[in-house]
Amino acid sequence: MTARFILAANVLLSRRLQNLLRIDENVEIDMSYITCAEYQLFIYEKLKGAEHRQPDQWTSYSFPPGDARKPITGVRASDAEEFCEWLTQQQFALGFKYRLPTLAEVEEYPVTEKQVGCWCLDGEQRIILGIETQQQQSWEQELAEVLALNRLLKFYRDLKLDLNRDLNRDLKPDLNRDLNRDLNRDLNRVLYCDLYCDLNRDLKRVLNSDLNLFLNRDINLLLNYDLNFILYRDHELVLKLVLNRDLNHDLYRDLYRNLHRDLNCDLNRDINRVLNRDLEAEFKAIETSKSSNFLLYFPLLSILVIYRFLSATYEVISQNKEALNTIELSSQESEAISRKYRESLNEIYPLYVYLVLLDERQAGRMPAWESIRIVRERVE
């Protein structure tokens, strides 16, 4: 930053402070937005302490060429308030403090620029006000079309409606098919080997003791065939019914229990590790404008999909007594788990929206609109 630029920017800021509109004897309001050149003074002052206050969509610490007199945009609410605090420190000896305007002050004293809004105080909240309604709705629509998650909402609604049906329709036939195939193979081997050998041995012993060798040979042959067929048929039928029922029940129960345990244990552990590792690094990169927003918000989309799936799954399970029994949860516990994932989803979603918006702005596909107006108030 050259000495000439500092002088020119300070002149602009000084003229602004001399032309505030008086509201009453203690309060004056600015009737235009802080410019990029004026805000640049604040950025460079903070950089001396290794603090980064440039708008997130900037790719460097300085505003783009030719934007010196344009309103500063893309400013965070916290940075806008800090700008007012910095300005107060410069003027405190004069008995004034600078702050953001209130909602009522912005509504009563609007500016002519309608493509930009300013941060204002609405109780404990910080909101943007001043953008033309039609323009704001247009930007919101554009952002909604960009958000990939919106294109998945129909899928999620269908998932919630169909999940219970799909679990019962798809899971059981697959188990029955696999169990029947495996059981038939195993039962054939076991019954053939064990029953045939046992019957053959017992019949030979009885027949050899009571009949002569001729009868022994023929009757043994016939009885072996008939008894083996009958016992094999009946034992196979009974064992298949019992084993199919028990194994279906056991596998169905274990599958639900393992799914519940693994999802809660593994997913929570892995997602928390990824979030803790990646988010910390990415936020530091965002501050220095070196972040790859796509590489951050795309994994976030995956996490949102997982959380939404888990929330829908446990919501469906909470209405299914058989599923609740198999995973050993009450309906209230299942609903609580569903609610937990839904709350996590609601916490992550704003970050996802912010990163998508930031990526659109850096690519030049969507403008920034968060600017600063100041109010000067006399300090008693």
Side-chain angles (χ1 to χ4, degrees):
M1 183 169 60
T2 66
R4 184 176 179 180
F5 172 83
I6 294 175
L7 178 60
N10 274 305
V11 169
L12 286 175
L13 184 57
S14 178
R15 289 177 179 175
R16 176 183 300 279
L17 299 181
Q18 293 173 11
N19 290 280
L20 301 180
L21 177 66
R22 183 174 296 278
I23 296 177
D24 57 40
E25 60 181 10
N26 294 319
V27 179
E28 299 168 280
I29 189 169
D30 191 5
M31 292 305 295
S32 62
Y33 295 111
I34 296 294
T35 64
C36 290
E38 293 165 322
Y39 191 78
Q40 189 72 64
L41 296 172
F42 169 65
I43 292 175
Y44 280 130
E45 189 70 26
K46 288 298 179 179
L47 278 175
K48 294 177 182 179
E51 298 180 51
H52 306 280
R53 297 296 181 268
Q54 72 274 13
D56 294 325
Q57 77 275 8
W58 287 11
T59 57
S60 69
Y61 298 124
S62 300
F63 58 83
D67 287 357
R69 290 182 176 270
K70 292 182 180 179
I72 185 68
T73 55
V75 180
R76 300 183 187 182
S78 59
D79 292 346
E81 290 185 309
E82 197 171 348
F83 173 82
C84 292
E85 293 171 3
W86 170 78
L87 198 56
T88 296
Q89 292 174 3
Q90 314 300 312
Q91 305 288 324
F92 188 75
L94 302 177
F96 297 106
K97 74 171 185 178
Y98 292 87
R99 60 170 174 82
L100 298 179
T102 64
L103 175 64
E105 289 168 342
V106 173
E107 290 178 335
E108 188 173 354
Y109 300 96
V111 298
T112 56
E113 171 64 65
K114 298 298 182 182
Q115 300 297 305
V116 176
C118 68
W119 288 108
C120 61
L121 307 174
D122 183 18
E124 297 297 321
Q125 294 183 323
R126 307 293 181 266
I127 64 172
I128 289 289
L129 196 67
I131 304 174
E132 186 180 21
T133 302
Q134 186 175 358
Q135 179 63 76
Q136 184 171 350
Q137 292 175 347
S138 175
W139 285 335
E140 291 173 352
Q141 180 62 33
E142 288 180 28
L143 181 59
E145 292 174 357
V146 172
L147 293 173
L149 193 61
N150 285 354
R151 295 196 289 270
L152 298 175
L153 289 179
K154 184 178 185 300
F155 165 75
Y156 290 139
R157 287 194 295 267
D158 294 341
L159 171 67
K160 180 177 177 181
L161 293 174
D162 298 341
L163 184 58
N164 192 36
R165 184 189 63 205
D166 292 342
L167 283 173
N168 288 297
R169 183 192 63 199
D170 297 335
L171 183 62
K172 289 183 178 179
D174 289 342
L175 286 172
N176 281 328
R177 184 185 64 248
D178 295 339
L179 285 170
N180 279 323
R181 184 184 64 245
D182 295 339
L183 284 172
N184 279 332
R185 183 184 64 245
D186 296 339
L187 284 171
N188 281 334
R189 185 180 64 251
V190 172
L191 288 172
Y192 180 81
C193 294
D194 295 344
L195 289 177
Y196 183 85
C197 293
D198 291 344
L199 285 171
N200 194 39
R201 184 182 61 250
D202 294 341
L203 285 171
K204 279 186 176 181
R205 185 177 62 251
V206 173
L207 290 171
N208 278 333
S209 62
D210 297 334
L211 298 173
N212 59 43
L213 293 176
F214 177 79
L215 290 174
N216 178 33
R217 183 186 67 243
D218 294 340
I219 294 176
N220 183 34
L221 185 64
L222 293 173
L223 286 177
N224 265 329
Y225 175 81
D226 293 337
L227 287 174
N228 188 51
F229 173 80
I230 294 171
L231 289 173
Y232 175 80
R233 181 194 63 199
D234 294 342
H235 278 74
E236 182 181 24
L237 178 62
V238 173
L239 285 173
K240 283 178 68 175
L241 290 174
V242 172
L243 289 174
N244 265 326
R245 182 192 64 211
D246 292 343
L247 285 175
N248 268 290
H249 176 268
D250 292 342
L251 288 175
Y252 195 60
R253 179 193 62 212
D254 294 341
L255 184 60
Y256 265 122
R257 183 185 295 118
N258 292 339
L259 176 65
H260 166 70
R261 183 188 65 245
D262 294 342
L263 284 176
N264 275 286
C265 178
D266 295 339
L267 281 174
N268 278 332
R269 182 188 65 239
D270 294 341
I271 290 174
N272 285 334
R273 184 177 66 247
V274 171
L275 284 176
N276 290 334
R277 180 192 64 205
D278 293 347
L279 291 184
E280 180 179 359
E282 287 292 339
F283 277 127
K284 290 181 180 178
I286 287 173
E287 289 186 341
T288 57
S289 297
K290 296 179 181 179
S291 173
S292 173
N293 300 312
F294 176 79
L295 294 179
L296 180 56
Y297 77 70
F298 185 76
L300 276 180
L301 177 60
S302 302
I303 294 172
L304 290 171
V305 170
I306 293 172
Y307 276 1
R308 187 65 184 88
F309 172 79
L310 292 175
S311 177
T313 299
Y314 279 102
E315 186 174 348
V316 170
I317 289 176
S318 68
Q319 308 299 322
N320 188 315
K321 292 183 178 180
E322 182 179 0
L324 290 170
N325 290 333
T326 57
I327 63 175
E328 300 177 356
L329 285 179
S330 67
S331 178
Q332 293 78 10
E333 289 172 329
S334 184
E335 289 176 354
I337 295 174
S338 175
R339 187 165 52 253
K340 179 190 69 174
Y341 283 116
R342 188 164 56 251
E343 290 171 353
S344 298
L345 175 70
N346 293 336
E347 291 175 359
I348 298 174
Y349 185 71
L351 175 60
Y352 169 74
V353 174
Y354 164 75
L355 292 171
V356 172
L357 177 60
L358 181 56
D359 193 58
E360 291 296 299
R361 287 177 173 177
Q362 289 181 339
R365 293 187 291 266
M366 188 169 291
W369 51 75
E370 306 92 339
S371 191
I372 304 174
R373 288 179 68 186
I374 58 173
V375 168
R376 181 167 63 198
E377 189 171 10
R378 187 176 300 278
V379 178
E380 297 293 340

